[in-house]
Amino acid sequence: MLKNSTQGYGWVTIIIHWLVALAVFSLFALGYWMVDLSYYSDWYQTAPMLHKSFGICLFALMVFRIIWRLTNPKPKGLSNHQTWEKTIAKLGHFALYAILFVLMISGYLISTADGRAISVFGWFDVPALLSGLPQQEEIAGDIHEILAWSLLVLSAGHALAALKHHFIDKDSTLSRMLKPVNSTETRKQ
Amino acid sequence: MKKHLTAAILSAGLFAAATPALAADYAIDTRGAHASVNFKVNHLGYSWVVGRFDTFSGDFSYDQENPSAAKIAVTIDTKSVNSNHAERDKHIRGKDFLEVDKFPEAKFVSTKFDSTDGQTGKLHGQFTLRGVTKDIVIDVTKVGEGKDPWGGYRAGFEGATTITMKDYGIPMDLGPQSATVELEFHIEGIKK
């Protein structure tokens, strides 16, 4: 039940999926809001600190997610899925992962552009690995902003596709990301 | 004969001194970084944030004998703002402060130099920042002038003035103690 099977996702995958979804939307909202805070706002220092700290946590979670994905059985695609649906889904999922990673790395490169480390909740520092590139914080900042919007749009598409499978195709695409498939249970294909 | 020659040289010297000398033209020595455009903004009333513009260029002309003819024009690359903190510099380049994508240049062009001795004076001119041009006055002190050890001739000045951020349409409000920016110029020129 924790691990994936060829029939569906285990709890670990399911929980990570929804945690990542929650983190992505929260970080987007927080980032969007924090850049326009007034200088005397109570959140002026706290909001960016939380954005960066949770961003680093999300990165760690995503690295674990990749490892988990590679070391677990891969749930088979549902038999009613069309070839074009499978192709688009594959491309879409790859883009979601790729954009999210580049998005997180670009954010890291803004804050570490001058060689300063990123403090995670004040508990520990993540050091700067790449700093002092020409216009680093500007270029990384532009990439961060563009990819944040791209990820928002793409994940909305991802959600719409899931809803389409659930309500129009009436298949188990969405429900198997809500709870693990019971192997004795007969699935609607 | 020798006496005549000496007299001729002397009179030529006197003649030269009596005639208003032509103002010498100088290029600001940015290549050797013997010049800087610095700024200082108060932080909360407790301390100062100091920064500078790394990239700028300009020329001036100056003649000790005729200081009122002095003039200068400096162009500053606003993108090059550097307060030794990447996140803050990114913020300063953004629309809350300098909006450098839209206003990549700031510049100062002098209109007159009020100085009786050529050592200190008030440099009047037009300062353009964020697309807004205002008349400002810079307090100038000459630091020195003369030959350098490598065959050139140099003159250097320092200047300071204070501008109000709101005057130039900078929307960010950093609080009452931080409404102004102190600009500080160190300008060394090499005679052309």
Side-chain angles (χ1 to χ4, degrees), chain A residues 54-134:
Chain A
F54 279 116
I56 299 276
C57 294
L58 179 61
F59 183 83
L61 183 62
M62 283 300 295
V63 169
F64 176 76
R65 188 181 188 183
I66 300 270
I67 294 168
W68 188 257
R69 184 190 171 113
L70 293 174
T71 54
N72 267 252
K74 201 167 178 288
K76 280 192 288 220
L78 301 181
S79 56
N80 67 308
H81 289 171
Q82 306 291 313
T83 312
W84 68 267
E85 287 180 312
K86 286 181 184 169
T87 308
I88 298 235
K90 251 203 186 88
L91 283 173
H93 294 154
F94 176 79
L96 282 168
Y97 275 79
I99 289 174
L100 183 50
F101 269 104
V102 180
L103 177 57
M104 292 187 292
I105 291 165
S106 64
Y108 165 82
L109 290 176
I110 300 172
S111 295
T112 57
D114 52 20
R116 281 181 174 78
I118 295 178
S119 169
V120 178
F121 301 112
W123 300 337
F124 62 93
D125 281 354
V126 175
L129 295 175
L130 191 62
S131 59
L133 298 177

Side-chain angles (χ1 to χ4, degrees), chain B:
Chain B
M1 186 64 197
K2 205 174 176 187
K3 219 172 189 176
H4 273 131
L5 192 62
T6 315
I9 290 168
L10 265 176
S11 61
L14 281 170
F15 180 73
T19 316
L22 287 169
D25 290 327
Y26 293 83
I28 296 174
D29 185 16
T30 48
R31 182 174 286 268
H34 296 112
S36 56
V37 175
N38 301 344
F39 63 87
K40 200 164 101 165
V41 178
N42 197 291
H43 186 232
L44 306 169
Y46 306 144
S47 72
W48 296 93
V49 169
V50 180
R52 66 177 194 218
F53 290 92
D54 288 344
T55 310
F56 57 94
S57 61
D59 297 291
F60 64 85
S61 55
Y62 172 81
D63 178 2
Q64 173 71 48
E65 303 303 323
N66 186 17
S68 62
K71 54 184 186 221
I72 184 167
V74 179
T75 304
I76 298 163
D77 173 6
T78 52
K79 255 198 340 280
S80 73
V81 66
N82 177 1
S83 69
N84 191 27
H85 187 356
E87 288 178 348
R88 179 168 54 215
D89 294 343
K90 184 176 183 301
H91 193 190
I92 295 172
R93 290 187 202 105
K95 61 185 185 337
D96 279 346
F97 290 95
L98 300 182
E99 207 173 352
V100 302
D101 286 344
K102 213 167 146 192
F103 306 108
E105 269 182 17
K107 71 179 181 207
F108 176 76
V109 180
S110 71
T111 49
K112 65 169 174 166
F113 185 44
D114 284 341
S115 173
T116 47
D117 58 1
Q119 292 299 312
T120 59
K122 303 240 179 244
L123 182 65
H124 296 253
Q126 295 196 306
F127 184 56
T128 305
L129 180 66
R130 220 179 186 275
V132 178
T133 302
K134 296 253 169 207
D135 290 322
I136 62 168
V137 180
I138 301 174
D139 291 315
V140 173
T141 304
K142 183 175 163 187
V143 180
E145 174 181 2
K147 285 183 190 145
D148 67 27
W150 316 287
Y153 190 92
R154 293 169 186 253
F157 302 83
E158 57 191 352
T161 192
T162 303
I163 60 167
T164 302
M165 283 195 246
K166 273 215 160 35
D167 290 350
Y168 295 88
I170 292 172
M172 188 76 181
D173 184 4
L174 295 171
Q177 300 91 345
S178 314
T180 58
V181 180
E182 293 192 16
L183 292 172
E184 195 190 75
F185 306 92
H186 294 275
I187 300 295
E188 179 178 302
I190 304 174
K191 204 181 216 170
K192 290 185 185 174

Side-chain angles (χ1 to χ4, degrees), chain A residues 29-38 44 47-48 145, chain B residues 90-91 95-96 172:
Chain A
L30 183 58
Y32 186 82
W33 173 72
M34 74 185 192
V35 293
D36 286 324
L37 286 172
S38 77
Y44 191 84
E145 190 176 4
Chain B
K90 184 176 183 301
H91 193 190
K95 61 185 185 337
D96 279 346
M172 188 76 181

